[in-house]
Every structure is written in structure tokens, then in C-alpha cells.
Amino acid sequence: MSPRLCRPDVRCKARSDRTTTVRPDFFIYATAAALVFNSQFFSTLSPASGTLAAFATLGVGLVARPLGGIVWGHFGDRVGRKKMLVVSLLLMGFATVGVGLLPTYEQIGVAAPVLLVVLRLLQGLSAGGEWGGAALMSVEHAPPGKRGRYGSFPQIGVPAGLILAQLVFLVVSNVTTPEQFAAWGWRIPFLLSILLVVVGLMIRLRVEESPVFALLRENRSRSRAPILEVFRNRPRELVLASGSFIANNAIGYVFLAYLLAYGTQVLEVGRNTMILVVIIGSFSWLASIVVAAIWSDTVGRRPVYLVGSVLLVIWPIPFFLLVDTAAFGAMVVAVVVLTIGLGLSYGPQAALFAEMFEARFRYSGVSFCYAIGAVLGGGFAPLIATALQQAYGTSMAVAAYMVVVALISLVAVLLIRETHHPDSPARLS
């Protein structure tokens, strides 16, 4: 199936499609969870147990994603892609700023971690549908033959947001003393996110509605119950698309969250050094996403996915062997190769997922798959990795976990049917 994403007589406007979601909210949270949340919200626990608890709150946000995917997907298929993007942005901004203003355990007791979990759930609800809206606004504006390229715009928002979050933490940690950073410095990245909310809102309000949804509305062919139609008509695609994202999300969170905690607490590498390693890996991730997305427009989505999936299977053990040296150069090599695998299995994803579902229930389909893959993959990956390291005392246990999730996704990718057929006539479905 290779559905037409733009009507022949409707010109897809390139100036309206670049809905890149550079929203570092999740990555600000992940960085803070790795570095300071154990002492701020779980101070009655040991440092190791506090880190486990902090990573547990990280996973809670992803548990809320499926519900967010269902809600945003329903209204995205019924009301429009653009409106849901605006609403999700406002909710995410509210939750992120709220974390930055939240009192600590020492100030209000057990209410502090409870409120932290509530705000994290709101982040998860927002993220459950935000990616789907951004992906469809990009892909559904794309002309035939360039869906992978256009679909890379929301994908690069992940490493771009991570780079921005790490840079802010790096600056703040260098202009404050360790005591100041622990007392109030860590809040600055959360509070600065309000600026991105304003900028993002201005951009999204100016973006035109997807021409595909406009045509559905014009023809009165919108689904009344899109999520039910997805389950009824595309169960195979739901399972395989969700499975294909498990490894990318799990290993991605090991890279962006667990690696910071592991490097600073277990290997005793300096915080600034570890942040710099993650920033370098993020640039590699961003570049590989763009290359992979463009490549998928030429050779197809599945071959690119397969290369990335195989790399994620074979690299975790060499990755930790290099990281465990605690040498800066070796760690850089480790993260660059790892993020190339992440980029190859993430760059074509927006186009692939969009091409797997008919337009009338596409928002629901792509959002639900993305959310389920995130829950089964990245939701508790840093928590699992930390628990494995503490239980077995070796990073090879974490590497084995990464290999297992990578094999699951590899099987799913092998079973996915190719969706990109550049020589076949494009059509709206």
C-alpha cells in the first residue's frame, strides 16, 4: 500500500510543511532525572535508589502516551492535524514549566514526588499525540517521491531538542557552583522552555492545515471512530509498526538518559565531559536521520530500517566496551556509531508510518503505534538499565538488554511490507 498523500489538483506548499518539533521538554526532564532528581525529590533514599526512583518517573510519562495517542488521534482525524498540534504544545509547555517551579521533598514532603509524577503524566499525554500531528503535517504536505525527506523534519526534533537541552544544562552547570546548581540551577532549563512555547505557538498558528485532511473534510469522509477502524482494518500494521519502534526508543533512552547517570555515577567521569559526549552523539544522530530519510526516498523505507536495526543488534556490546574505558575519544566513537543506528531506524519512520494507514484514521494509527513502541521500549529503559547494572555489577547486562530489544524490532522490520513505491501512481486512500 502506498497511499497518495496530496490530491493531484492541490499544490503541496513546501513553506507550510516544515513542522519540526524542536521541543526539548522530555530531554530536559531526562537529563535532570539522571543528574539531580534523586537528591531533589527522593532525598530520603540512597543515591542509587533515588536514581532508580527518578528514572521510574521518567517511564511514567511514556505510560501515558497511548491514552494521549488515542485522544489526540481521534480529534486529529476528526477536527484537524493543526489544532491538535497547538493544544499539545500548550499542554507540554504547562507541564514542563510546572516541573521547574515544583518545590522539593525537603520543602513539601511526599507531595513533591507526587506532583512530579502528575506533571510527568501531562507531558506523556501531550507527547502521545504531538509526534503524530507533526509527522502528518510534514508528510501530508510532501510531494510524491519526497515523503521521507519531508518526514525527517519532526524526526530531527529529537536530537535537536536533546542538543538544546544538554547545551543549556552545560552552560548552567558551568556558571553556577555545585551547590547553586542543586539548589536552583537545574530549574533554569525547565523555565526557559516557556520561550520555546511562544516561538512554537507562533509557528504552528501560521502553518496551513494538511491538504489531505482538508480533502477529507471537504468530501465528508472523516472516520467517526478512527481508533476502532485502525484496530479493525490494520491490526497487522499496528503490531509491526509498534514493534519496529521498540528498539529505537529503548536504546535512544539508554543513550540520552542512562548514559549520563552511568558515566557520572559508576565510571566517575565529569558531568561536563559526559554532557559533551551526549551532545556529539546527538549531532551524529541528527545527521544520520536526514541522510536516512532522503535515502529512503530512493531505495525504500524497509532497506534503510533494516540497516539501522542490524546495527542496533551488533553494536551494544562494543558500545559498552568503549564507554567503560572512560576515555573521551573511545566514548565518542561508541555514541557516534550507536546514533547512526538510531538515525537509520528513525529517519524514515514518519513516512513509513504515514504510508501504512489510510488518511481517514492515519493520525490515530501513527500516534498509537508511536506511543506503544515508546512504552514497550523507552518508557522504563533507563530504570531497567540501572537495575541491571546494580544487580550484576557489569555493563554487559545492560548491553544484553539492548540486544534483546533490538532483535525484537529487527523481526518486526523484517515482517513489514515495503510502503514506498516511487514508480507507482500516487493516490489518496
Side-chain angles (χ1 to χ4, degrees):
M1 178 181 64
S2 180
R4 167 69 172 164
L5 297 176
C6 282
R7 197 173 67 179
D9 60 332
V10 176
R11 182 173 179 268
C12 298
K13 298 177 176 62
R15 63 183 177 86
S16 301
D17 63 358
R18 305 193 178 195
T19 50
T20 306
T21 311
V22 186
R23 297 291 298 137
D25 311 77
F26 259 53
F27 313 116
I28 291 173
Y29 191 101
T31 303
L35 297 178
V36 297
F37 277 1
N38 59 345
S39 62
Q40 299 298 311
F41 299 101
F42 306 99
S43 54
T44 58
L45 303 176
S46 67
S49 298
T51 299
L52 282 170
F55 281 151
T57 68
L58 185 67
V60 165
L62 282 93
V63 170
R65 280 193 178 189
L67 177 59
I70 292 173
V71 173
W72 302 130
H74 175 83
F75 289 104
D77 285 322
R78 292 289 303 161
V79 179
R81 317 324 194 189
K82 175 181 173 178
K83 292 180 180 178
M84 292 304 101
L85 271 178
V86 172
V87 174
S88 64
L89 171 66
L90 293 175
L91 181 59
M92 179 68 80
F94 169 81
T96 303
V97 173
V99 174
L101 297 173
L102 197 61
T104 65
Y105 186 91
E106 291 185 358
Q107 293 170 322
I108 62 172
V110 73
V114 171
L115 289 173
L116 181 67
V117 169
V118 170
L119 292 171
R120 182 61 181 166
L121 285 170
L122 292 180
Q123 278 192 330
L125 286 172
S126 171
E130 184 177 29
W131 177 85
L136 295 191
M137 286 291 285
S138 294
V139 175
E140 290 184 345
H141 273 100
K146 294 185 178 180
R147 293 172 194 154
R149 178 182 308 210
Y150 280 50
S152 70
F153 299 141
Q155 307 303 85
I156 64 176
V158 171
L162 180 56
I163 291 168
L164 184 57
Q166 298 294 326
L167 284 174
V168 173
F169 269 101
L170 187 63
V171 170
V172 172
S173 66
N174 278 282
V175 299
T176 59
T177 65
E179 294 75 19
Q180 290 172 331
F181 183 81
W184 52 266
W186 65 270
R187 299 180 183 274
I188 294 176
F190 289 93
L191 300 179
L192 285 178
S193 69
I194 191 65
L195 300 177
L196 292 177
V197 172
V198 174
V199 174
L201 190 61
M202 292 173 60
I203 293 173
R204 292 183 180 186
L205 288 175
R206 295 177 61 185
V207 171
E208 298 178 12
E209 179 57 88
S210 157
V212 172
F213 180 79
L215 184 58
L216 288 173
R217 183 170 52 198
E218 177 185 331
N219 293 340
R220 298 183 179 181
S221 54
R222 287 170 288 177
S223 172
R224 291 184 179 275
I227 191 64
L228 295 181
E229 280 206 58
V230 173
F231 277 96
R232 183 167 57 247
N233 297 330
R234 296 294 174 192
R236 184 179 189 273
E237 284 73 12
L238 277 176
V239 172
L240 295 182
S242 299
S244 72
F245 187 45
I246 291 175
N248 187 280
N249 202 253
I251 295 174
Y253 266 92
V254 169
F255 162 68
L256 66 91
Y258 173 73
L259 184 61
L260 278 174
Y262 178 70
T264 56
Q265 297 174 20
V266 178
L267 300 181
E268 298 184 344
V269 177
R271 181 172 61 200
N272 289 349
T273 299
M274 290 308 305
I275 289 177
L276 184 57
V277 168
V278 173
I279 289 175
I280 293 172
S282 300
F283 275 107
S284 171
W285 194 356
L286 191 154
S288 61
I289 284 173
V290 175
V291 171
I294 295 174
W295 188 25
S296 77
D297 282 332
T298 302
V299 302
R301 320 296 180 211
R302 189 169 175 270
V304 179
Y305 249 91
L306 280 175
V307 174
S309 299
V310 170
L311 187 55
L312 292 181
V313 170
I314 65 176
W315 190 246
I317 292 177
F319 171 78
F320 272 108
L321 291 175
L322 290 169
V323 168
D324 285 347
T325 65
F328 179 76
M331 290 191 293
V332 167
V333 172
V335 299
V336 166
V337 177
L338 184 75
T339 52
I340 289 174
L342 291 173
L344 291 173
S345 57
Y346 194 58
Q349 185 185 54
L352 173 69
F353 281 20
E355 290 169 347
M356 292 175 78
F357 300 98
E358 285 83 350
R360 68 182 183 276
F361 51 72
R362 182 173 291 140
Y363 201 136
S364 295
V366 302
S367 295
F368 191 78
C369 292
Y370 193 88
I372 292 298
V375 171
L376 298 178
F380 294 98
L383 174 65
I384 293 171
T386 302
L388 288 171
Q389 170 64 34
Q390 292 180 11
Y392 294 97
T394 172
S395 61
M396 289 299 103
V398 183
Y401 162 66
M402 294 166 67
V403 171
V404 170
V405 295
L407 285 171
I408 293 172
S409 286
L410 177 60
V411 172
V413 174
L414 287 170
L415 295 175
I416 288 177
R417 302 185 183 102
E418 180 59 66
T419 62
H420 177 63
H421 306 287
D423 298 328
S424 63
R427 58 182 173 82
L428 175 69
S429 63

